Short mmCIF file of all heavy atoms in Angstrom, two decimals:
data_model
loop_
_atom_site.label_atom_id
_atom_site.label_comp_id
_atom_site.label_asym_id
_atom_site.label_seq_id
_atom_site.Cartn_x
_atom_site.Cartn_y
_atom_site.Cartn_z
N TRP A 1 4.23 -14.45 31.27
CA TRP A 1 4.95 -15.53 30.67
C TRP A 1 4.67 -16.80 31.44
O TRP A 1 4.21 -16.79 32.55
CB TRP A 1 6.44 -15.23 30.60
CG TRP A 1 6.99 -14.47 31.78
CD1 TRP A 1 7.14 -13.13 31.86
CD2 TRP A 1 7.42 -14.99 33.04
NE1 TRP A 1 7.66 -12.77 33.08
CE2 TRP A 1 7.84 -13.91 33.83
CE3 TRP A 1 7.50 -16.25 33.58
CZ2 TRP A 1 8.33 -14.06 35.11
CZ3 TRP A 1 7.99 -16.39 34.86
CH2 TRP A 1 8.40 -15.30 35.60
N THR A 2 4.98 -17.91 30.84
CA THR A 2 4.76 -19.22 31.43
C THR A 2 6.11 -19.91 31.57
O THR A 2 6.97 -19.79 30.71
CB THR A 2 3.85 -20.07 30.53
OG1 THR A 2 2.61 -19.40 30.40
CG2 THR A 2 3.63 -21.44 31.10
N THR A 3 6.27 -20.64 32.65
CA THR A 3 7.50 -21.38 32.87
C THR A 3 7.16 -22.80 33.28
O THR A 3 6.25 -23.01 34.08
CB THR A 3 8.35 -20.73 33.98
OG1 THR A 3 8.61 -19.38 33.61
CG2 THR A 3 9.66 -21.45 34.17
N VAL A 4 7.88 -23.75 32.75
CA VAL A 4 7.73 -25.14 33.16
C VAL A 4 8.91 -25.48 34.06
O VAL A 4 10.06 -25.25 33.69
CB VAL A 4 7.71 -26.08 31.92
CG1 VAL A 4 7.66 -27.53 32.36
CG2 VAL A 4 6.53 -25.75 31.03
N LEU A 5 8.60 -25.99 35.24
CA LEU A 5 9.64 -26.39 36.18
C LEU A 5 9.55 -27.89 36.40
O LEU A 5 8.46 -28.45 36.46
CB LEU A 5 9.44 -25.67 37.53
CG LEU A 5 9.43 -24.15 37.49
CD1 LEU A 5 9.08 -23.60 38.87
CD2 LEU A 5 10.79 -23.63 37.06
N ALA A 6 10.69 -28.53 36.55
CA ALA A 6 10.71 -29.97 36.81
C ALA A 6 11.89 -30.29 37.71
O ALA A 6 12.93 -29.65 37.63
CB ALA A 6 10.83 -30.74 35.50
N GLY A 7 11.70 -31.28 38.56
CA GLY A 7 12.78 -31.70 39.46
C GLY A 7 12.95 -30.76 40.63
O GLY A 7 12.12 -29.90 40.89
N GLY A 8 14.00 -30.97 41.37
CA GLY A 8 14.31 -30.09 42.49
C GLY A 8 13.31 -30.16 43.63
O GLY A 8 13.19 -29.22 44.41
N GLY A 9 12.58 -31.27 43.72
CA GLY A 9 11.62 -31.41 44.82
C GLY A 9 10.27 -30.78 44.57
O GLY A 9 9.46 -30.62 45.49
N ILE A 10 10.00 -30.41 43.33
CA ILE A 10 8.71 -29.79 43.00
C ILE A 10 7.65 -30.86 42.83
O ILE A 10 7.91 -31.90 42.22
CB ILE A 10 8.85 -28.95 41.71
CG1 ILE A 10 9.76 -27.80 41.99
CG2 ILE A 10 7.51 -28.54 41.18
CD1 ILE A 10 9.51 -26.57 41.22
N LYS A 11 6.46 -30.60 43.36
CA LYS A 11 5.33 -31.50 43.17
C LYS A 11 4.94 -31.50 41.69
O LYS A 11 4.77 -30.45 41.09
CB LYS A 11 4.13 -31.05 44.00
CG LYS A 11 4.32 -31.17 45.48
CD LYS A 11 3.08 -30.68 46.20
CE LYS A 11 3.30 -30.53 47.68
NZ LYS A 11 2.14 -29.91 48.33
N ALA A 12 4.78 -32.68 41.14
CA ALA A 12 4.50 -32.80 39.70
C ALA A 12 3.02 -32.61 39.39
O ALA A 12 2.16 -32.78 40.25
CB ALA A 12 4.94 -34.18 39.21
N GLY A 13 2.74 -32.26 38.13
CA GLY A 13 1.38 -32.24 37.61
C GLY A 13 0.47 -31.18 38.14
O GLY A 13 -0.71 -31.42 38.37
N GLN A 14 0.96 -29.99 38.34
CA GLN A 14 0.10 -28.92 38.85
C GLN A 14 0.37 -27.61 38.13
O GLN A 14 1.41 -27.42 37.53
CB GLN A 14 0.29 -28.75 40.34
CG GLN A 14 1.67 -28.27 40.73
CD GLN A 14 1.78 -28.01 42.21
OE1 GLN A 14 0.86 -27.54 42.85
NE2 GLN A 14 2.93 -28.34 42.78
N ALA A 15 -0.60 -26.75 38.21
CA ALA A 15 -0.47 -25.39 37.71
C ALA A 15 -0.77 -24.46 38.88
O ALA A 15 -1.66 -24.73 39.68
CB ALA A 15 -1.45 -25.13 36.57
N VAL A 16 -0.03 -23.38 38.97
CA VAL A 16 -0.26 -22.39 40.03
C VAL A 16 -0.83 -21.15 39.37
O VAL A 16 -0.20 -20.56 38.50
CB VAL A 16 1.05 -22.06 40.78
CG1 VAL A 16 0.83 -20.96 41.79
CG2 VAL A 16 1.60 -23.30 41.45
N GLY A 17 -2.04 -20.77 39.76
CA GLY A 17 -2.67 -19.59 39.21
C GLY A 17 -3.51 -19.89 37.98
O GLY A 17 -3.55 -21.02 37.49
N LYS A 18 -4.21 -18.86 37.52
CA LYS A 18 -5.06 -18.97 36.34
C LYS A 18 -4.98 -17.67 35.55
O LYS A 18 -4.67 -16.62 36.09
CB LYS A 18 -6.52 -19.22 36.73
CG LYS A 18 -6.77 -20.57 37.32
CD LYS A 18 -8.25 -20.78 37.58
CE LYS A 18 -8.47 -22.15 38.19
NZ LYS A 18 -9.89 -22.40 38.45
N THR A 19 -5.32 -17.80 34.27
CA THR A 19 -5.38 -16.62 33.41
C THR A 19 -6.77 -16.54 32.79
O THR A 19 -7.57 -17.47 32.89
CB THR A 19 -4.35 -16.69 32.27
OG1 THR A 19 -4.65 -17.81 31.44
CG2 THR A 19 -2.93 -16.79 32.80
N ASP A 20 -7.03 -15.42 32.12
CA ASP A 20 -8.30 -15.29 31.40
C ASP A 20 -8.30 -16.26 30.21
O ASP A 20 -7.31 -16.95 29.95
CB ASP A 20 -8.55 -13.85 30.96
CG ASP A 20 -7.51 -13.33 29.98
OD1 ASP A 20 -6.74 -14.12 29.40
OD2 ASP A 20 -7.48 -12.11 29.77
N LYS A 21 -9.40 -16.32 29.49
CA LYS A 21 -9.53 -17.27 28.39
C LYS A 21 -8.49 -17.10 27.30
O LYS A 21 -8.13 -18.04 26.61
CB LYS A 21 -10.94 -17.19 27.80
CG LYS A 21 -11.99 -17.74 28.72
CD LYS A 21 -13.36 -17.71 28.09
CE LYS A 21 -14.35 -18.27 29.10
NZ LYS A 21 -15.67 -18.46 28.52
N LEU A 22 -7.99 -15.89 27.14
CA LEU A 22 -6.98 -15.64 26.12
C LEU A 22 -5.55 -15.82 26.64
O LEU A 22 -4.59 -15.73 25.88
CB LEU A 22 -7.14 -14.22 25.55
CG LEU A 22 -8.45 -13.94 24.83
CD1 LEU A 22 -8.52 -12.48 24.41
CD2 LEU A 22 -8.60 -14.85 23.62
N GLY A 23 -5.42 -16.05 27.93
CA GLY A 23 -4.10 -16.21 28.53
C GLY A 23 -3.32 -14.91 28.61
O GLY A 23 -2.10 -14.93 28.71
N MET A 24 -4.03 -13.79 28.61
CA MET A 24 -3.35 -12.49 28.60
C MET A 24 -3.30 -11.81 29.97
O MET A 24 -2.43 -10.98 30.20
CB MET A 24 -4.02 -11.58 27.58
CG MET A 24 -3.88 -12.10 26.17
SD MET A 24 -4.63 -11.06 24.93
CE MET A 24 -3.60 -9.61 25.00
N GLU A 25 -4.23 -12.13 30.83
CA GLU A 25 -4.29 -11.50 32.15
C GLU A 25 -4.33 -12.56 33.24
O GLU A 25 -5.08 -13.53 33.14
CB GLU A 25 -5.54 -10.62 32.28
CG GLU A 25 -5.61 -9.48 31.30
CD GLU A 25 -4.61 -8.38 31.60
OE1 GLU A 25 -4.25 -8.19 32.78
OE2 GLU A 25 -4.17 -7.73 30.65
N VAL A 26 -3.54 -12.38 34.29
CA VAL A 26 -3.58 -13.28 35.43
C VAL A 26 -4.85 -12.97 36.23
O VAL A 26 -5.10 -11.82 36.58
CB VAL A 26 -2.34 -13.11 36.33
CG1 VAL A 26 -2.43 -13.98 37.56
CG2 VAL A 26 -1.08 -13.41 35.55
N THR A 27 -5.64 -14.01 36.50
CA THR A 27 -6.89 -13.81 37.24
C THR A 27 -6.83 -14.40 38.64
O THR A 27 -7.61 -14.02 39.49
CB THR A 27 -8.08 -14.42 36.49
OG1 THR A 27 -7.86 -15.82 36.30
CG2 THR A 27 -8.28 -13.73 35.14
N GLU A 28 -5.92 -15.36 38.88
CA GLU A 28 -5.77 -15.97 40.20
C GLU A 28 -4.31 -16.25 40.49
O GLU A 28 -3.59 -16.73 39.63
CB GLU A 28 -6.51 -17.32 40.27
CG GLU A 28 -7.97 -17.23 40.57
CD GLU A 28 -8.59 -18.61 40.71
OE1 GLU A 28 -7.94 -19.54 41.23
OE2 GLU A 28 -9.74 -18.75 40.27
N ARG A 29 -3.89 -15.98 41.68
CA ARG A 29 -2.57 -16.31 42.23
C ARG A 29 -1.41 -15.79 41.38
O ARG A 29 -0.59 -16.56 40.87
CB ARG A 29 -2.48 -17.82 42.45
CG ARG A 29 -1.18 -18.35 43.09
CD ARG A 29 -0.95 -17.70 44.44
NE ARG A 29 0.15 -18.32 45.15
CZ ARG A 29 1.38 -17.81 45.19
NH1 ARG A 29 1.67 -16.70 44.57
NH2 ARG A 29 2.32 -18.42 45.87
N PRO A 30 -1.33 -14.47 41.22
CA PRO A 30 -0.15 -13.94 40.52
C PRO A 30 1.12 -14.22 41.33
O PRO A 30 1.08 -14.28 42.56
CB PRO A 30 -0.43 -12.45 40.42
CG PRO A 30 -1.39 -12.16 41.50
CD PRO A 30 -2.20 -13.42 41.71
N VAL A 31 2.22 -14.42 40.64
CA VAL A 31 3.51 -14.65 41.28
C VAL A 31 4.44 -13.52 40.85
O VAL A 31 4.64 -13.29 39.65
CB VAL A 31 4.10 -16.02 40.88
CG1 VAL A 31 5.50 -16.19 41.44
CG2 VAL A 31 3.20 -17.15 41.35
N SER A 32 5.01 -12.82 41.81
CA SER A 32 5.90 -11.71 41.49
C SER A 32 7.25 -12.23 40.99
O SER A 32 7.63 -13.38 41.25
CB SER A 32 6.12 -10.84 42.73
OG SER A 32 6.88 -11.55 43.69
N ASN A 33 7.98 -11.37 40.30
CA ASN A 33 9.32 -11.74 39.85
C ASN A 33 10.23 -12.12 41.02
O ASN A 33 10.93 -13.13 40.93
CB ASN A 33 9.94 -10.62 39.02
CG ASN A 33 9.32 -10.51 37.65
OD1 ASN A 33 8.83 -11.48 37.09
ND2 ASN A 33 9.33 -9.32 37.10
N PRO A 34 10.24 -11.35 42.13
CA PRO A 34 11.10 -11.75 43.25
C PRO A 34 10.71 -13.12 43.84
O PRO A 34 11.58 -13.91 44.19
CB PRO A 34 10.89 -10.64 44.28
CG PRO A 34 10.51 -9.45 43.46
CD PRO A 34 9.68 -10.01 42.34
N ASP A 35 9.42 -13.42 43.90
CA ASP A 35 8.99 -14.72 44.43
C ASP A 35 9.39 -15.84 43.47
O ASP A 35 9.79 -16.93 43.89
CB ASP A 35 7.49 -14.75 44.69
CG ASP A 35 7.10 -13.91 45.89
OD1 ASP A 35 7.98 -13.46 46.65
OD2 ASP A 35 5.88 -13.71 46.09
N PHE A 36 9.29 -15.60 42.17
CA PHE A 36 9.72 -16.59 41.19
C PHE A 36 11.22 -16.83 41.32
O PHE A 36 11.69 -17.97 41.30
CB PHE A 36 9.36 -16.13 39.78
CG PHE A 36 9.75 -17.12 38.72
CD1 PHE A 36 9.09 -18.32 38.59
CD2 PHE A 36 10.79 -16.84 37.86
CE1 PHE A 36 9.46 -19.24 37.62
CE2 PHE A 36 11.16 -17.74 36.88
CZ PHE A 36 10.49 -18.94 36.76
N GLN A 37 11.98 -15.75 41.49
CA GLN A 37 13.43 -15.89 41.65
C GLN A 37 13.76 -16.67 42.92
O GLN A 37 14.63 -17.54 42.91
CB GLN A 37 14.08 -14.51 41.68
CG GLN A 37 15.58 -14.57 41.68
CD GLN A 37 16.21 -13.19 41.59
OE1 GLN A 37 15.56 -12.18 41.80
NE2 GLN A 37 17.48 -13.15 41.28
N ALA A 38 13.05 -16.39 44.01
CA ALA A 38 13.27 -17.13 45.26
C ALA A 38 12.93 -18.60 45.08
O ALA A 38 13.62 -19.48 45.62
CB ALA A 38 12.43 -16.52 46.38
N THR A 39 11.90 -18.90 44.29
CA THR A 39 11.51 -20.28 44.01
C THR A 39 12.62 -21.00 43.25
O THR A 39 13.01 -22.12 43.60
CB THR A 39 10.20 -20.32 43.21
OG1 THR A 39 9.18 -19.65 43.95
CG2 THR A 39 9.77 -21.75 42.93
N LEU A 40 13.13 -20.37 42.21
CA LEU A 40 14.23 -20.98 41.45
C LEU A 40 15.45 -21.21 42.33
O LEU A 40 16.10 -22.26 42.24
CB LEU A 40 14.60 -20.10 40.25
CG LEU A 40 13.58 -20.02 39.13
CD1 LEU A 40 14.07 -19.09 38.03
CD2 LEU A 40 13.26 -21.39 38.56
N CYS A 41 15.76 -20.26 43.17
CA CYS A 41 16.91 -20.41 44.08
C CYS A 41 16.69 -21.60 45.01
O CYS A 41 17.61 -22.40 45.23
CB CYS A 41 17.12 -19.14 44.89
SG CYS A 41 17.85 -17.79 43.94
N LYS A 42 15.49 -21.74 45.56
CA LYS A 42 15.21 -22.85 46.46
C LYS A 42 15.38 -24.19 45.73
O LYS A 42 15.98 -25.12 46.27
CB LYS A 42 13.80 -22.74 47.04
CG LYS A 42 13.48 -23.85 48.01
CD LYS A 42 12.16 -23.64 48.70
CE LYS A 42 11.89 -24.82 49.64
NZ LYS A 42 10.70 -24.61 50.43
N ILE A 43 14.88 -24.28 44.50
CA ILE A 43 15.03 -25.50 43.71
C ILE A 43 16.51 -25.84 43.52
O ILE A 43 16.90 -27.00 43.59
CB ILE A 43 14.35 -25.33 42.33
CG1 ILE A 43 12.84 -25.26 42.49
CG2 ILE A 43 14.74 -26.46 41.38
CD1 ILE A 43 12.11 -24.79 41.24
N LEU A 44 17.32 -24.83 43.29
CA LEU A 44 18.75 -25.02 43.03
C LEU A 44 19.60 -25.11 44.30
O LEU A 44 20.81 -25.27 44.23
CB LEU A 44 19.27 -23.88 42.15
CG LEU A 44 18.66 -23.82 40.75
CD1 LEU A 44 19.05 -22.51 40.06
CD2 LEU A 44 19.09 -25.02 39.93
N GLY A 45 18.96 -24.96 45.46
CA GLY A 45 19.69 -25.03 46.73
C GLY A 45 20.48 -23.78 47.05
O GLY A 45 21.46 -23.84 47.80
N ILE A 46 20.06 -22.67 46.51
CA ILE A 46 20.73 -21.38 46.75
C ILE A 46 19.97 -20.61 47.83
O ILE A 46 18.74 -20.53 47.79
CB ILE A 46 20.79 -20.55 45.45
CG1 ILE A 46 21.60 -21.29 44.39
CG2 ILE A 46 21.34 -19.15 45.71
CD1 ILE A 46 21.48 -20.68 43.00
N ASP A 47 20.69 -20.04 48.78
CA ASP A 47 20.06 -19.23 49.82
C ASP A 47 19.65 -17.89 49.21
O ASP A 47 20.47 -16.99 49.04
CB ASP A 47 21.03 -19.02 50.97
CG ASP A 47 20.47 -18.15 52.09
OD1 ASP A 47 19.27 -17.78 52.03
OD2 ASP A 47 21.23 -17.85 53.03
N PHE A 48 18.36 -17.77 48.88
CA PHE A 48 17.88 -16.56 48.19
C PHE A 48 17.88 -15.33 49.08
O PHE A 48 17.80 -14.22 48.59
CB PHE A 48 16.48 -16.79 47.61
CG PHE A 48 15.43 -17.08 48.64
CD1 PHE A 48 14.73 -16.06 49.23
CD2 PHE A 48 15.15 -18.38 49.00
CE1 PHE A 48 13.76 -16.32 50.18
CE2 PHE A 48 14.18 -18.66 49.95
CZ PHE A 48 13.49 -17.63 50.54
N ALA A 49 17.98 -15.50 50.40
CA ALA A 49 18.01 -14.36 51.32
C ALA A 49 19.42 -13.83 51.53
O ALA A 49 19.61 -12.80 52.18
CB ALA A 49 17.39 -14.75 52.66
N LYS A 50 20.40 -14.53 50.98
CA LYS A 50 21.80 -14.13 51.16
C LYS A 50 22.09 -12.80 50.47
O LYS A 50 21.50 -12.48 49.45
CB LYS A 50 22.70 -15.22 50.58
CG LYS A 50 24.18 -14.94 50.74
CD LYS A 50 25.00 -16.06 50.16
CE LYS A 50 26.48 -15.70 50.26
NZ LYS A 50 27.32 -16.71 49.64
N THR A 51 23.02 -12.08 51.04
CA THR A 51 23.50 -10.84 50.44
C THR A 51 24.97 -11.03 50.08
O THR A 51 25.78 -11.41 50.91
CB THR A 51 23.35 -9.65 51.41
OG1 THR A 51 21.98 -9.49 51.73
CG2 THR A 51 23.88 -8.37 50.80
N ASN A 52 25.29 -10.81 48.82
CA ASN A 52 26.68 -10.83 48.37
C ASN A 52 27.22 -9.41 48.40
O ASN A 52 26.46 -8.45 48.37
CB ASN A 52 26.77 -11.38 46.94
CG ASN A 52 26.42 -12.85 46.88
OD1 ASN A 52 26.81 -13.62 47.74
ND2 ASN A 52 25.69 -13.23 45.86
N THR A 53 28.53 -9.29 48.44
CA THR A 53 29.16 -7.97 48.47
C THR A 53 30.05 -7.82 47.25
O THR A 53 30.86 -8.69 46.96
CB THR A 53 29.99 -7.80 49.76
OG1 THR A 53 29.15 -8.05 50.89
CG2 THR A 53 30.56 -6.40 49.87
N THR A 54 29.88 -6.71 46.54
CA THR A 54 30.71 -6.44 45.37
C THR A 54 32.13 -6.09 45.83
O THR A 54 32.35 -5.77 47.00
CB THR A 54 30.14 -5.28 44.54
OG1 THR A 54 30.19 -4.10 45.32
CG2 THR A 54 28.72 -5.56 44.09
N PRO A 55 33.09 -6.11 44.92
CA PRO A 55 34.46 -5.75 45.29
C PRO A 55 34.59 -4.36 45.91
O PRO A 55 35.47 -4.11 46.73
CB PRO A 55 35.23 -5.83 43.96
CG PRO A 55 34.48 -6.84 43.16
CD PRO A 55 33.04 -6.62 43.53
N ASP A 56 33.68 -3.45 45.55
CA ASP A 56 33.75 -2.11 46.14
C ASP A 56 32.89 -1.98 47.40
O ASP A 56 32.69 -0.88 47.91
CB ASP A 56 33.40 -1.03 45.12
CG ASP A 56 31.97 -1.13 44.61
OD1 ASP A 56 31.31 -2.16 44.86
OD2 ASP A 56 31.51 -0.18 43.96
N GLY A 57 32.38 -3.12 47.91
CA GLY A 57 31.67 -3.11 49.19
C GLY A 57 30.17 -2.92 49.12
O GLY A 57 29.52 -2.79 50.15
N ARG A 58 29.60 -2.89 47.93
CA ARG A 58 28.16 -2.68 47.80
C ARG A 58 27.42 -4.00 48.00
O ARG A 58 27.73 -4.99 47.35
CB ARG A 58 27.85 -2.10 46.43
CG ARG A 58 26.40 -1.72 46.24
CD ARG A 58 26.21 -0.94 44.95
NE ARG A 58 26.52 -1.72 43.78
CZ ARG A 58 25.62 -2.20 42.92
NH1 ARG A 58 24.35 -1.96 43.10
NH2 ARG A 58 25.99 -2.89 41.87
N PRO A 59 26.42 -4.03 48.89
CA PRO A 59 25.66 -5.27 49.11
C PRO A 59 24.65 -5.49 47.98
O PRO A 59 23.99 -4.56 47.53
CB PRO A 59 24.96 -5.01 50.43
CG PRO A 59 24.82 -3.54 50.52
CD PRO A 59 26.01 -2.97 49.80
N ILE A 60 24.56 -6.73 47.54
CA ILE A 60 23.59 -7.10 46.52
C ILE A 60 22.89 -8.38 46.98
O ILE A 60 23.54 -9.41 47.18
CB ILE A 60 24.24 -7.35 45.15
CG1 ILE A 60 24.90 -6.08 44.65
CG2 ILE A 60 23.22 -7.87 44.14
CD1 ILE A 60 25.61 -6.23 43.33
N ARG A 61 21.58 -8.29 47.15
CA ARG A 61 20.80 -9.46 47.55
C ARG A 61 20.59 -10.37 46.34
O ARG A 61 20.49 -9.91 45.21
CB ARG A 61 19.45 -9.05 48.10
CG ARG A 61 19.53 -8.33 49.44
CD ARG A 61 18.14 -8.00 49.96
NE ARG A 61 17.27 -9.16 50.01
CZ ARG A 61 17.11 -9.94 51.09
NH1 ARG A 61 17.78 -9.69 52.18
NH2 ARG A 61 16.30 -10.96 51.05
N ILE A 62 20.50 -11.66 46.61
CA ILE A 62 20.23 -12.62 45.53
C ILE A 62 18.80 -12.46 45.05
O ILE A 62 18.53 -12.44 43.85
CB ILE A 62 20.53 -14.05 45.99
CG1 ILE A 62 22.04 -14.18 46.20
CG2 ILE A 62 20.01 -15.07 45.00
CD1 ILE A 62 22.50 -15.52 46.71
N ALA A 63 17.85 -12.33 45.96
CA ALA A 63 16.45 -12.04 45.62
C ALA A 63 16.02 -10.85 46.47
O ALA A 63 16.56 -10.61 47.55
CB ALA A 63 15.56 -13.25 45.90
N ALA A 64 15.06 -10.12 45.99
CA ALA A 64 14.60 -8.92 46.69
C ALA A 64 14.15 -9.23 48.11
O ALA A 64 13.64 -10.32 48.39
CB ALA A 64 13.46 -8.27 45.91
N GLU A 65 14.34 -8.29 48.99
CA GLU A 65 13.90 -8.44 50.37
C GLU A 65 12.40 -8.72 50.40
O GLU A 65 11.63 -8.08 49.69
CB GLU A 65 14.21 -7.18 51.17
CG GLU A 65 14.00 -7.35 52.65
CD GLU A 65 14.53 -6.19 53.46
OE1 GLU A 65 15.31 -5.39 52.91
OE2 GLU A 65 14.17 -6.10 54.63
N GLY A 66 12.00 -9.70 51.18
CA GLY A 66 10.60 -10.06 51.28
C GLY A 66 10.16 -11.13 50.30
O GLY A 66 9.03 -11.61 50.35
N ALA A 67 11.05 -11.53 49.38
CA ALA A 67 10.71 -12.57 48.41
C ALA A 67 10.54 -13.90 49.12
O ALA A 67 11.28 -14.22 50.05
CB ALA A 67 11.80 -12.69 47.35
N THR A 68 9.55 -14.67 48.68
CA THR A 68 9.31 -16.00 49.24
C THR A 68 9.04 -16.98 48.12
O THR A 68 8.35 -16.64 47.14
CB THR A 68 8.13 -16.01 50.23
OG1 THR A 68 6.96 -15.53 49.54
CG2 THR A 68 8.38 -15.15 51.43
N PRO A 69 9.56 -18.21 48.26
CA PRO A 69 9.26 -19.22 47.24
C PRO A 69 7.77 -19.52 47.15
O PRO A 69 7.03 -19.37 48.14
CB PRO A 69 10.03 -20.45 47.72
CG PRO A 69 11.09 -19.91 48.63
CD PRO A 69 10.47 -18.71 49.27
N VAL A 70 7.31 -19.96 45.99
CA VAL A 70 5.92 -20.32 45.79
C VAL A 70 5.67 -21.63 46.54
O VAL A 70 6.09 -22.71 46.09
CB VAL A 70 5.59 -20.46 44.29
CG1 VAL A 70 4.17 -20.90 44.08
CG2 VAL A 70 5.87 -19.14 43.58
N ALA A 71 5.00 -21.55 47.69
CA ALA A 71 4.84 -22.70 48.60
C ALA A 71 4.09 -23.86 47.96
O ALA A 71 4.38 -25.02 48.26
CB ALA A 71 4.11 -22.23 49.86
N GLU A 72 3.15 -23.57 47.06
CA GLU A 72 2.35 -24.64 46.45
C GLU A 72 3.19 -25.64 45.65
O GLU A 72 2.75 -26.75 45.38
CB GLU A 72 1.29 -24.04 45.50
CG GLU A 72 0.26 -23.17 46.17
CD GLU A 72 0.63 -21.68 46.13
OE1 GLU A 72 1.83 -21.35 46.18
OE2 GLU A 72 -0.30 -20.88 46.05
N LEU A 73 4.39 -25.24 45.27
CA LEU A 73 5.22 -26.09 44.43
C LEU A 73 6.02 -27.13 45.22
O LEU A 73 6.57 -28.06 44.64
CB LEU A 73 6.20 -25.25 43.61
CG LEU A 73 5.57 -24.32 42.59
CD1 LEU A 73 6.63 -23.47 41.93
CD2 LEU A 73 4.81 -25.13 41.56
N PHE A 74 6.07 -26.98 46.55
CA PHE A 74 6.92 -27.88 47.35
C PHE A 74 6.12 -28.77 48.26
O PHE A 74 5.03 -28.56 48.61
CB PHE A 74 7.92 -27.06 48.15
CG PHE A 74 8.83 -26.25 47.28
CD1 PHE A 74 8.54 -24.92 46.99
CD2 PHE A 74 9.94 -26.81 46.70
CE1 PHE A 74 9.36 -24.17 46.17
CE2 PHE A 74 10.76 -26.07 45.88
CZ PHE A 74 10.48 -24.75 45.63
#
């Protein structure tokens, strides 16, 4: 899928990664779902490494462990 991001300190006018001619396969710089989520959190000022706790005491991370924002965007 493709996402357009704007604002939040993102460098304008760039594309990260490439696809084949049909746009069906990523050929350069794939971005994982956890890294995309960490990127969105960084844009919104949310600590993506934070762990919240459910009422019954279960820890839930905001983004998966090891997730990192897409550095090229900042």
Side-chain angles (χ1 to χ4, degrees):
W1 36 266
T2 300
T3 303
V4 175
L5 302 174
I10 294 210
K11 293 179 191 173
Q14 65 176 323
V16 176
K18 291 184 180 180
T19 63
D20 63 14
K21 290 183 181 188
L22 297 176
M24 295 181 68
E25 298 289 331
V26 176
T27 59
E28 276 184 36
R29 183 58 171 99
V31 174
S32 69
N33 287 331
D35 288 350
F36 181 71
Q37 187 175 15
T39 302
L40 291 178
C41 286
K42 182 173 179 175
I43 291 167
L44 296 170
I46 298 169
D47 179 5
F48 62 89
K50 182 179 176 184
T51 300
N52 292 319
T53 305
T54 64
D56 63 348
R58 186 171 64 107
I60 298 179
R61 291 183 53 93
I62 292 178
E65 190 170 345
T68 58
V70 177
E72 297 95 326
L73 295 175
F74 299 95

